[in-house]
Amino acid sequence: MQHNWSRHLRYTLASLAGTTLAGLYLGYPLYGLISGLGAYMLWNLYQIHRLAQWLAAPNDTTEAPQSIGIWGILFEKLHKLNQNHLQTLDRLRARIDRIQESTNAMRDGVIMTNARGTMEWWNGSAEYLLGFRRNTDQGQYIFNLIRTPAFRSYFDAKNYHEPLEIHSPSRPHIHLQIQISLFGNDDRLIVAKDVTRLHQLEQMRRDFVSNVSHEMRTPLTVISGYLETLADNAGDLPAKWQRAINTMGTQSSRMEALITDLILLSRIETSEHTQSNTPTDIDCLVRQICQDARTLSGKKQHEITFEASGAHFLKGDEYQLRSAFSNLIFNAVKYTPAKGQVSVFWSTNSEGGHLSVKDSGSGIDEIHLPRLTERFYRADPSRHKDTGGTGLGLAIVKHALINHDGSLEIRSQLGKGSEFTCHFPADRLIEGPEK
Ligand code: ADP
């Protein structure tokens, strides 16, 4: 380039010298130089005009103008750059087409929005699952098309660890699982998965458990009733019959407790996100449960204390809250040796309300903690025979808390006692019921 430029400079100077010499020959050297410079300027202006015309051409593929000297080199360079640019564009377009083709082939709906929820792109499955239309919905707010309030809260909360389940806005029989990922400049990639089949299976399982429990309840009540009558009149029977009747009585009570818990769990599970906003007086509720726990402790004489601070009222379903708290407090009594301590605290802060149940009991090995809220999971199966537990208590607690947008935190160490804490969000707390 440097070499071409110096050659061009040499040619230009030589031409100017030529016109000056021609002027000298005619007796006007200055006019010769001026006319040489003028011609050079006109030529440059003409080349600039051609360049401007080429750059303004609407079609990128228009051939670059041909020229000589430095302008020829410039046009050729620009032409090459343009060609490279066009090739890169073609490659990128092909890649985008391929990505779009593959995402269109996906069975899950995929949607791209910006941070405010303006729809930028979506695949074919999103059109089917969510009812979006390619021509009219581009640039729309996604909240105008998916109007479920839970979706808006999920989108804004930016906490995408757990997916959200909603009904499809265009096909209500379709159950969708929504998962959002953040990318770029706070943009969102939304994936909608059709989980209708899974949902139906889950519903069938719940219905089955609930129906079986209800069906078993009546015959069991009859059996227990007769066993009680037999036990009342067992005085005349031989000792081995008395033992048999007592054992049958104990086992039928266990089964009754199991069926009661199964019915309660399926009720709590099916009542989805509780809509009940009844203010529940936590202070009063927990005091009553602690009183029942003292009766349960009986001769074991546990020291059961309760302390509360902050707002006492929680919006929710009192029945479910009672079940959750009593399961935790009764467990603390069951798994703590005689004369042990059970301390219950209620406190509030900017994050919400917290009910913690702490005991000085046997504790739980940390390997069991992640699975403790599963149905029938027991940390120490040999121990549950003495406690008469059903194995459903913590599953009931977990589901009752989910229904109140809450969560359960478990801290425990073998031999050092346990602490179970229920966390509730701040928007469920109220100072007192409205009069
Ligand atoms: P269960 O009816 O057997 O008590 P839960 O679901 O209430 O069933 O509890 C599950 C298991 O968790 C229990 O079997 C027990 O091993 C353990 N567990 C629950 N609470 C405590 C506690 N406070 N201290 C020690 N272990 C506990």
Coordinates of all heavy atoms in Angstrom, one line a residue, residues 316-347:
G316 N -53.7 -17.0 56.1 CA -53.6 -18.4 55.6 C -54.8 -19.2 56.1 O -55.8 -18.7 56.6
D317 N -54.6 -20.5 56.0 CA -55.6 -21.5 56.4 C -55.3 -22.1 57.8 O -54.3 -22.8 57.9 CB -55.6 -22.6 55.3 CG -56.6 -23.7 55.6 OD1 -57.0 -24.0 56.7 OD2 -57.1 -24.2 54.6
E318 N -56.1 -21.7 58.7 CA -55.8 -22.1 60.1 C -55.6 -23.6 60.3 O -54.7 -24.1 61.0 CB -56.8 -21.5 61.1 CG -56.5 -21.8 62.5 CD -57.4 -21.2 63.5 OE1 -58.0 -20.2 63.2 OE2 -57.4 -21.7 64.7
Y319 N -56.5 -24.3 59.6 CA -56.5 -25.8 59.8 C -55.1 -26.4 59.3 O -54.5 -27.2 60.0 CB -57.6 -26.3 58.9 CG -57.8 -27.8 59.0 CD1 -58.3 -28.4 60.1 CD2 -57.3 -28.6 58.0 CE1 -58.4 -29.8 60.2 CE2 -57.4 -30.0 58.0 CZ -58.0 -30.6 59.1 OH -58.1 -32.0 59.2
Q320 N -54.7 -25.9 58.2 CA -53.4 -26.4 57.7 C -52.2 -25.9 58.5 O -51.3 -26.7 58.8 CB -53.2 -25.9 56.2 CG -54.1 -26.4 55.2 CD -53.8 -26.1 53.8 OE1 -52.6 -25.8 53.5 NE2 -54.8 -26.1 52.9
L321 N -52.3 -24.7 59.0 CA -51.2 -24.2 59.9 C -51.1 -25.0 61.2 O -50.1 -25.4 61.7 CB -51.4 -22.7 60.2 CG -51.2 -21.8 59.0 CD1 -51.6 -20.3 59.3 CD2 -49.8 -21.8 58.5
R322 N -52.3 -25.3 61.7 CA -52.4 -26.1 63.0 C -51.8 -27.4 62.7 O -51.0 -27.9 63.5 CB -53.9 -26.2 63.4 CG -54.1 -27.0 64.7 CD -55.5 -27.2 65.0 NE -56.2 -25.9 65.4 CZ -56.1 -25.5 66.7 NH1 -55.5 -26.1 67.6 NH2 -56.7 -24.3 67.0
S323 N -52.1 -28.1 61.6 CA -51.6 -29.4 61.3 C -50.0 -29.3 61.2 O -49.3 -30.2 61.8 CB -52.1 -29.9 59.9 OG -53.4 -29.9 59.9
A324 N -49.5 -28.3 60.5 CA -48.1 -28.2 60.3 C -47.4 -28.0 61.7 O -46.5 -28.8 62.0 CB -47.8 -27.1 59.4
F325 N -47.8 -27.0 62.4 CA -47.1 -26.7 63.7 C -47.3 -27.8 64.7 O -46.3 -28.2 65.4 CB -47.7 -25.4 64.3 CG -47.5 -24.2 63.5 CD1 -48.3 -23.0 63.7 CD2 -46.6 -24.2 62.4 CE1 -48.1 -21.9 62.9 CE2 -46.5 -23.1 61.6 CZ -47.2 -21.9 61.8
S326 N -48.5 -28.5 64.8 CA -48.6 -29.5 65.8 C -47.7 -30.7 65.4 O -47.2 -31.4 66.3 CB -50.1 -29.9 66.0 OG -50.7 -30.2 64.8
N327 N -47.6 -31.0 64.1 CA -46.7 -32.1 63.7 C -45.3 -31.9 64.2 O -44.6 -32.8 64.7 CB -46.7 -32.3 62.2 CG -47.7 -33.4 61.8 OD1 -47.7 -34.5 62.3 ND2 -48.6 -33.0 60.9
L328 N -44.8 -30.6 64.0 CA -43.4 -30.3 64.4 C -43.3 -30.4 65.9 O -42.3 -30.9 66.5 CB -43.0 -28.9 63.9 CG -42.9 -28.8 62.4 CD1 -42.5 -27.3 62.0 CD2 -41.8 -29.7 61.9
I329 N -44.2 -29.8 66.7 CA -44.1 -29.7 68.1 C -44.3 -31.1 68.7 O -43.5 -31.5 69.6 CB -45.1 -28.7 68.7 CG1 -44.7 -27.3 68.2 CG2 -45.0 -28.7 70.2 CD1 -45.7 -26.2 68.5
F330 N -45.2 -31.9 68.2 CA -45.4 -33.2 68.7 C -44.2 -34.1 68.4 O -43.8 -35.0 69.2 CB -46.7 -33.9 68.2 CG -48.0 -33.2 68.7 CD1 -49.2 -33.5 68.1 CD2 -48.0 -32.2 69.7 CE1 -50.4 -32.8 68.5 CE2 -49.1 -31.6 70.1 CZ -50.3 -31.9 69.5
N331 N -43.6 -33.9 67.2 CA -42.4 -34.7 66.9 C -41.3 -34.4 67.9 O -40.6 -35.3 68.3 CB -41.9 -34.3 65.5 CG -42.5 -35.2 64.4 OD1 -43.2 -36.2 64.7 ND2 -42.2 -34.9 63.2
A332 N -41.2 -33.1 68.2 CA -40.1 -32.7 69.2 C -40.3 -33.4 70.5 O -39.4 -33.9 71.1 CB -40.2 -31.2 69.4
V333 N -41.6 -33.5 70.9 CA -41.9 -34.3 72.2 C -41.6 -35.8 72.0 O -40.9 -36.4 72.9 CB -43.3 -34.0 72.6 CG1 -43.7 -34.9 73.8 CG2 -43.6 -32.6 72.9
K334 N -42.0 -36.3 70.9 CA -41.8 -37.8 70.6 C -40.4 -38.2 70.6 O -40.0 -39.2 71.1 CB -42.5 -38.2 69.3 CG -44.0 -38.3 69.4 CD -44.6 -39.0 68.2 CE -44.3 -38.3 66.9 NZ -44.9 -38.8 65.7
Y335 N -39.5 -37.3 70.0 CA -38.1 -37.7 69.8 C -37.2 -37.1 70.8 O -36.0 -37.0 70.6 CB -37.7 -37.3 68.3 CG -38.5 -38.1 67.3 CD1 -39.5 -37.5 66.6 CD2 -38.2 -39.5 67.1 CE1 -40.2 -38.3 65.7 CE2 -39.0 -40.2 66.2 CZ -40.0 -39.6 65.5 OH -40.7 -40.3 64.6
T336 N -37.7 -36.6 71.9 CA -36.9 -36.1 73.0 C -37.1 -36.9 74.2 O -38.2 -37.1 74.6 CB -37.2 -34.6 73.2 OG1 -37.1 -33.9 72.0 CG2 -36.3 -33.9 74.3
P337 N -36.0 -37.3 74.9 CA -36.2 -38.2 76.1 C -36.9 -37.4 77.2 O -36.9 -36.2 77.2 CB -34.8 -38.5 76.4 CG -33.9 -38.1 75.3 CD -34.6 -37.1 74.5
A338 N -37.4 -38.2 78.2 CA -38.1 -37.6 79.3 C -37.3 -36.4 79.9 O -36.0 -36.4 80.0 CB -38.3 -38.6 80.4
K339 N -38.0 -35.4 80.4 CA -37.4 -34.2 81.0 C -36.6 -33.3 80.1 O -35.9 -32.4 80.5 CB -36.6 -34.6 82.2 CG -37.4 -35.4 83.3 CD -37.1 -34.9 84.7 CE -38.2 -35.3 85.6 NZ -38.1 -36.4 86.4
G340 N -36.6 -33.6 78.8 CA -35.9 -32.8 77.8 C -36.6 -31.5 77.6 O -37.7 -31.2 78.1
Q341 N -35.9 -30.6 76.7 CA -36.5 -29.3 76.5 C -37.1 -29.2 75.0 O -36.4 -29.6 74.1 CB -35.5 -28.2 76.6 CG -35.3 -27.8 78.1 CD -33.8 -27.6 78.4 OE1 -33.0 -27.3 77.5 NE2 -33.5 -27.9 79.7
V342 N -38.2 -28.5 74.9 CA -38.8 -28.2 73.6 C -39.1 -26.7 73.6 O -39.9 -26.2 74.4 CB -40.1 -29.0 73.3 CG1 -40.7 -28.6 72.0 CG2 -39.8 -30.5 73.3
S343 N -38.4 -25.9 72.8 CA -38.5 -24.5 72.8 C -39.1 -24.0 71.5 O -38.5 -24.3 70.4 CB -37.2 -23.7 73.0 OG -36.5 -24.4 74.0
V344 N -40.2 -23.3 71.5 CA -40.9 -22.8 70.3 C -40.7 -21.3 70.3 O -41.0 -20.6 71.3 CB -42.3 -23.2 70.3 CG1 -43.0 -22.9 69.0 CG2 -42.5 -24.7 70.6
F345 N -40.3 -20.7 69.1 CA -40.1 -19.3 69.0 C -40.9 -18.8 67.7 O -40.8 -19.4 66.7 CB -38.7 -18.9 68.7 CG -37.7 -19.3 69.8 CD1 -37.0 -20.5 69.7 CD2 -37.6 -18.6 71.0 CE1 -36.2 -20.9 70.7 CE2 -36.7 -19.0 72.0 CZ -36.0 -20.2 71.8
W346 N -41.6 -17.7 67.9 CA -42.2 -17.0 66.7 C -41.5 -15.7 66.6 O -41.5 -14.9 67.6 CB -43.7 -16.9 66.9 CG -44.3 -16.0 65.9 CD1 -44.8 -14.7 66.1 CD2 -44.5 -16.2 64.5 NE1 -45.2 -14.1 65.0 CE2 -45.1 -15.0 63.9 CE3 -44.3 -17.3 63.6 CZ2 -45.4 -14.9 62.6 CZ3 -44.6 -17.2 62.3 CH2 -45.2 -16.0 61.8
S347 N -41.0 -15.3 65.4 CA -40.4 -14.0 65.3 C -40.6 -13.5 63.9 O -40.9 -14.3 63.0 CB -38.9 -14.1 65.5 OG -38.3 -14.9 64.6

